[in-house]
Amino acid sequence: MNKPSEKFEILPQEQGGDPGVFQQLLKQETVPVPDYLAPHNPGFGDADLSVDRYASAAFHRLEAEKMWPKTWQFVGREEQIPKAGDHLVYDIVDSSIIVMRGDDGVIRAFHNSCLHRGRALRMNGGTVGQLKCPYHGFTWDLKGKLASMPCTWDFKHLEGRNNDLPPVRVDSWLGFVFINLDENAQPLNDYLDALPEHFRDYAFERSVIVAHVQRRVEANWKVAQEAFMESMHARVTHPQLLTFTADCDSQYDMYGDNISRSVTPMAVPSTHTRGVVEPLVLHDILEESGRMADSDGSAHTLPEGQTARQYIGELNRRIFGEASGRDLAHATLAELQDAILYSIFPNTQIWSGYCGNIVYRVIPDGNNHESCIFDVMLLWRHKEGEVPPPPAKLNRLPDDQPFSAAAELGALGPVFDQDMRNLGAMTKGLRASKKGTVSLASYQESRIRHHHETLDKYLGLGGGK
């Protein structure tokens, strides 16, 4: 069909915004609504944040010393290392960790450093039968036990020592593999607070990565992380989304120190608009969102008397249910289509719901405080008992290529490019700031403030950790 009428009004930016929209939509649900979709925002102060948090190399080093070694960090998915010897390499500032599947099926993690002269044992992930240092040949088995060394006669002084690779704490949750460099860290499940309960019905353990794209971004890792912690930027940064995204009408929630959430209603127009017709909402969400069960806006006609939100919800219910082999009759329209995005401190964000899930991860680019590595993963489901397809291989884009060059991202690629254009400019602007601080919205940017309050606890700047 032809694209529906685009004759609608964009209201002055001062007028938009109603954080109660999501709860109003939940009242229209025809199935029971889970309690965890209720608001949970404790409120925060309004003090400015210093730009040094982003622009200072000294602040970066403080994070490297006090925060990164103490937090649970997402490394990858279990399906990426299904067989003995399969491994990932996770680099975080000065540390490098090998996460490996052993020949007994157990996932272990080791410091990526030869105990002889310190060479990194692995530069990238892959599959090996043993961990053999490419420099002199010191070799460890897949459990990290020393297997052999060159010229044993010349290393008699090592006899009786523990020559196994130093382990790193590793744990999994719903197929997501995390590491923590702190031997005394709290268990991962406790660290995740409300998340396991909130994700209980979404079958992430039967997910598989269908796209994995990575690129270096010229911005501090927090700048990139925070770009996805609020939706109010959509009006200016992503204007093509306003016909089906309630950007400034989002709900923002926090749980303990480590978990926060934004809920942005979808298949409803932004309150920054007036006069958007329902057929246009349907067309645009299919064409532009990149997360729905279909992406062909011309293949669907909205039945008379049905809203785009109802139509998209039922379309997703059917196709997501078929993909996962589950009856999703109990699922709310919200869980089938809304942008329900959780952050796990410090550097991971996961879209919840029954499918169309995106994972973001932001890693500092070594010791460069004004550069980071940005990962995007798209997850799909497979049926219980079904052999899943192999996960998509990493597509590492050159620094000068946009995300839209990654065809596997579909409509999401151009959206990420719009975000990335802000990030380099943020680096320039933060350096140039005469004010010396940033001022956050009280509600819509409360997830960012929550992120910094937790960071301060690790750094000893606000209550200790």
Side-chain angles (χ1 to χ4, degrees), residues 18 79 133 144 151 171 186 199 212 239 262 286 334 399 417 422 432:
D18 180 359
E79 68 264 21
C133 180
C151 303
D171 203 351
Q186 67 183 129
F199 277 55
H212 183 187
S262 60
L286 290 169
D399 295 357
D417 289 338
N422 285 330

Side-chain angles (χ1 to χ4, degrees), residues 186-205:
Q186 67 183 129
L188 174 62
N189 201 68
D190 294 344
Y191 186 91
L192 295 177
D193 202 275
L195 206 59
E197 173 60 24
H198 289 202
F199 277 55
R200 183 172 52 85
D201 195 47
Y202 298 144
F204 272 88
E205 68 278 6

Side-chain angles (χ1 to χ4, degrees), residues 94 209 228 253 259 304 338 346 351 353 374 391 406 456:
D94 295 324
I209 298 171
F228 300 89
D253 306 303
I259 306 298
E304 187 174 349
D338 288 340
W351 295 54
F374 185 82
D456 280 355

Side-chain angles (χ1 to χ4, degrees), residues 150-226:
C151 303
T152 308
W153 62 268
D154 209 15
F155 290 94
K156 293 294 185 182
H157 52 290
L158 296 183
E159 291 180 1
R161 295 190 192 178
N162 179 3
N163 296 306
D164 299 339
L165 292 176
V168 174
R169 287 192 65 179
V170 62
D171 203 351
S172 295
W173 166 71
L174 298 182
F176 296 94
V177 181
F178 290 77
I179 61 92
N180 195 317
L181 293 165
D182 182 3
E183 297 176 359
N184 300 311
Q186 67 183 129
L188 174 62
N189 201 68
D190 294 344
Y191 186 91
L192 295 177
D193 202 275
L195 206 59
E197 173 60 24
H198 289 202
F199 277 55
R200 183 172 52 85
D201 195 47
Y202 298 144
F204 272 88
E205 68 278 6
R206 287 193 279 110
S207 293
V208 64
I209 298 171
V210 294
H212 183 187
V213 182
Q214 183 185 86
R215 211 198 83 181
R216 179 179 285 103
V217 178
E218 297 302 320
N220 181 268
W221 71 274
K222 295 184 295 298
V223 169
Q225 177 82 346
E226 292 164 14

Side-chain angles (χ1 to χ4, degrees), residues 297-347:
S298 63
H300 297 265
T301 302
L302 190 64
E304 187 174 349
Q306 192 172 38
T307 66
R309 184 172 175 84
Q310 292 167 335
Y311 184 93
I312 287 292
E314 296 308 321
L315 176 68
N316 288 350
R317 190 191 310 276
R318 176 175 60 83
I319 297 180
F320 293 165
E322 290 171 356
S324 62
R326 298 183 64 196
D327 181 357
L328 298 181
H330 66 289
T332 61
L333 297 178
E335 296 166 290
L336 288 164
Q337 65 191 301
D338 288 340
I340 307 176
L341 176 58
Y342 285 78
S343 176
I344 304 171
F345 185 87
N347 65 331

Side-chain angles (χ1 to χ4, degrees), residues 274-289:
R274 182 164 55 203
V276 179
V277 297
E278 288 290 322
L280 181 61
V281 177
L282 176 62
H283 175 276
D284 285 2
I285 193 172
L286 290 169
E287 293 278 341
E288 303 286 353
S289 77

